[in-house]
């Protein structure tokens, strides 16, 4: 699923909607590692921990939809 999402991230600005993945697991199950791989392979990935609303508004901008992908930890 994450490999498909990586490819989807390169075309997400072409579509008006998308889906959300929720990765759930115990400690040391690889959740953060999956997001780190997506950070390096995805398109315009905004990877940050504990971002404020102001950070999100700054990064999202107001020019077009689907400017960034946000993997949230």
């Amino acid at each position: 699923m994450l490999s498909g999402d990586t490819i989807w991230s390169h075309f997400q600005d072409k579509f008006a909607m998308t889906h959300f993945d929720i990765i759930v697991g115990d400690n040391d199950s690889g959740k953060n590692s999956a997001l780190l791989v997506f950070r390096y392979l995805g398109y315009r990935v905004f990877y940050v921990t504990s971002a404020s609303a102001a950070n999100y508004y700054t990064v999202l901008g107001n020019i077009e939809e689907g400017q960034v992908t946000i993997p949230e930890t």
Side-chain angles (χ1 to χ4, degrees):
M1 180 185 260
L2 289 175
S3 61
D5 287 339
T6 301
I7 296 168
W8 173 264
S9 71
H10 291 269
F11 301 102
Q12 71 180 2
D13 56 342
K14 307 273 189 238
F15 304 101
M17 64 179 137
T18 188
H19 68 279
F20 299 95
D21 296 333
I22 299 174
I23 302 173
V24 179
D26 291 331
N27 293 341
D28 294 329
S29 64
K31 299 180 302 281
N32 195 36
S33 297
L35 292 179
L36 286 174
V37 169
F38 185 74
R39 172 186 179 186
Y40 292 113
L41 297 178
Y43 182 67
R44 294 183 189 171
V45 177
F46 175 60
Y47 183 82
V48 66
T49 302
S50 301
S52 67
N55 294 122
Y56 285 122
Y57 287 129
T58 301
V59 129
L60 289 174
N62 59 1
I63 298 171
E64 63 184 30
E65 294 180 4
Q67 293 182 34
V68 295
T69 305
I70 303 172
E72 191 172 324
T73 59

